[in-house]
């Protein structure tokens, strides 16, 4: 029997996709196999290491449920999420940059009136957040919807508190006819991403930390504009240079200014990209 050369195996697998009807799926599968095989060749993957990898992915699957998504966490900590965001960002200069979505967004958050309280009992230093939603020429985007969500002062999102039973530090707020929005919440603090599972073990084994710099999440939507998923980071936060999920963009770092009464003020304008015609 002819000895199989590694290159022959790779070629056979690539060939097996030749009849894939969807050309994009074929392109993705062929490229994935080519890179996976090149990776195994480059590191001279042993069978024990291959099995450790399978075991790692199996444990990611076992810990994943409707509240915990270890595969997204893995993608985030390997920089794949942020790379995908960056590859798909072809916005003109002047638009607000996007960053990672993260696992803690919840559809259907309660709507809060202008000036209302988004914290809803979440503990933390009070913070007023205000700004405008604008188009590229500075035109106000009336009625834009802003989903906002953040952790509390202990670094936990409401969904990480199973006994809470109501939304905290998350809401939908609407911009007025001048594109202006404002709401009350709490100051964001750095927090550690969930690291009690396989991704946490990977971080530990590679001498990495699980921390994210302080940030407030936004998803901004308006008819005729691309949806923007982003954060506003605190300029004085730790971990801006070593975000565990590589999400920091300098244009998203902002001064959250402490006021005389100890509370904070965050002012930030969002600039949306018009949808392609
Ligand atoms: C977040 O910012 O909520 C987040 C992003 C990526 C992984 C974990 C958390
Ligand atoms: Fe977050």
């Amino acid at each position: 029997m002819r000895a199989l050369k590694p290159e022959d195996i790779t070629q056979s697998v690539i060939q097996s996709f030749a009849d894939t009807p969807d050309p994009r799926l074929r392109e993705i599968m062929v490229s994935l196999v080519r890179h996976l095989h090149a990776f195994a060749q480059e590191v001279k993957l042993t069978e024990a290491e291959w099995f450790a990898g399978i075991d790692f992915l199996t444990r990611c699957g076992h810990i994943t449920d409707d509240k915990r998504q270890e595969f997204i966490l893995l993608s985030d900590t390997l920089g794949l999420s942020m790379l995908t965001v960056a590859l798909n960002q072809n916005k003109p200069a002047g638009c607000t940059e996007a960053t990672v979505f993260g696992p803690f967004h919840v559809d259907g958050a309660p709507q809060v009136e202008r000036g209302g309280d988004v914290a809803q009992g979440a503990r933390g230093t009070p913070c007023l957040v205000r700004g405008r939603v604008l188009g590229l020429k500075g035109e106000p985007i009336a009625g834009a919807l802003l989903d906002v969500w953040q952790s509390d002062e202990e670094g936990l999102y409401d969904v990480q508190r199973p006994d809470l039973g109501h939304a905290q530090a998350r809401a939908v707020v609407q911009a007025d006819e001048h594109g202006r929005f404002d709401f009350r919440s709490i100051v964001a603090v750095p927090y550690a991403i969930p690291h009690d599972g396989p991704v946490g073990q990977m971080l530990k084994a590679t001498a990495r930390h699980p921390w994210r710099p302080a940030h407030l999440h936004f998803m901004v939507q308006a008819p005729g504009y691309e949806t923007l998923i982003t954060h506003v980071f605190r300029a004085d936060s730790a971990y801006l240079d070593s975000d565990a999920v590589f999400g920091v963009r300098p244009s998203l770092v902002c001064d959250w200014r402490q006021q005389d009464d100890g509370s904070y003020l965050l002012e930030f304008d969002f600039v949306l990209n018009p949808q392609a015609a």
Side-chain angles (χ1 to χ4, degrees):
M1 206 167 97
R2 197 158 56 93
L4 262 186
K5 292 206 295 292
E7 295 72 22
D8 294 339
I9 300 171
T10 305
Q11 270 319 310
S12 301
V13 183
I14 287 173
Q15 190 53 37
S16 76
F17 294 119
D19 296 334
T20 306
D22 179 341
R24 177 63 176 161
L25 178 61
R26 183 170 64 240
E27 181 184 9
I28 287 174
M29 293 309 297
V30 166
S31 178
L32 177 67
V33 165
R34 193 176 286 131
H35 284 87
L36 260 182
H37 285 217
F39 151 75
Q41 292 230 40
E42 183 179 314
V43 302
K44 297 193 171 49
L45 195 68
T46 68
E47 286 169 272
E49 288 161 348
W50 172 85
F51 191 75
I54 296 291
D55 179 56
F56 178 82
L57 293 174
T58 304
R59 287 184 289 116
C60 286
H62 284 164
I63 203 172
T64 294
D65 60 19
D66 59 340
K67 296 244 153 48
R68 171 79 178 250
Q69 232 302 355
E70 199 75 358
F71 289 105
I72 294 186
L73 221 47
L74 180 59
S75 164
D76 293 341
T77 51
L78 295 182
L80 181 61
S81 309
M82 197 55 220
L83 176 64
T84 307
V85 169
L87 287 171
N88 287 282
Q89 280 247 1
N90 28 28
K91 299 177 202 280
C95 289
T96 304
E97 287 189 277
T99 187
V100 287
F101 197 34
F104 297 127
H105 177 261
V106 175
D107 281 332
Q111 190 141 1
V112 164
E113 293 303 304
R114 268 203 67 186
D117 175 33
V118 164
Q120 291 297 318
R123 286 183 26 199
T125 306
C127 181
L128 177 66
V129 182
R130 68 182 178 214
R132 287 171 305 163
V133 183
L134 305 169
L136 263 175
K137 298 191 191 87
E139 72 278 17
I141 303 181
L145 287 175
L146 301 96
D147 256 79
V148 299
W149 67 105
Q150 67 169 114
S151 67
D152 61 22
E153 69 177 7
E154 286 175 50
L156 291 177
Y157 286 78
D158 55 1
V159 290
Q160 295 174 289
R161 297 185 182 278
D163 299 332
L164 193 61
H166 71 280
Q168 270 192 343
R170 77 171 66 245
V172 177
V173 299
Q174 187 161 29
D176 69 8
E177 66 273 28
H178 306 293
R180 285 192 298 243
F181 64 88
D182 63 292
F183 59 88
R184 288 175 291 120
S185 193
I186 51 176
V187 175
V189 295
Y191 66 85
I193 62 171
H195 56 287
D196 56 344
V199 168
Q201 287 162 4
M202 179 275 286
L203 293 176
K204 193 155 186 253
T206 55
R208 286 176 53 184
H209 69 72
W211 288 88
R212 297 214 64 204
H215 60 273
L216 177 52
H217 291 257
F218 285 89
M219 176 162 71
V220 190
Q221 294 174 280
Y225 293 86
E226 286 176 8
T227 295
L228 170 69
I229 292 169
T230 195
H231 311 348
V232 180
F233 293 91
R234 257 179 80 180
D236 59 353
S237 176
Y239 309 112
L240 282 171
D241 294 324
S242 64
D243 182 4
V245 304
F246 307 96
V248 179
R249 291 290 160 275
S251 68
L252 302 176
V253 179
C254 179
D255 279 327
W256 299 40
R257 296 196 306 275
Q258 190 158 30
Q259 310 297 291
D260 291 342
D261 65 358
S263 71
Y264 278 74
L265 172 66
L266 165 61
E267 291 180 297
F268 197 86
D269 291 345
F270 296 95
V271 180
L272 303 190
N273 194 23
Q275 231 150 29

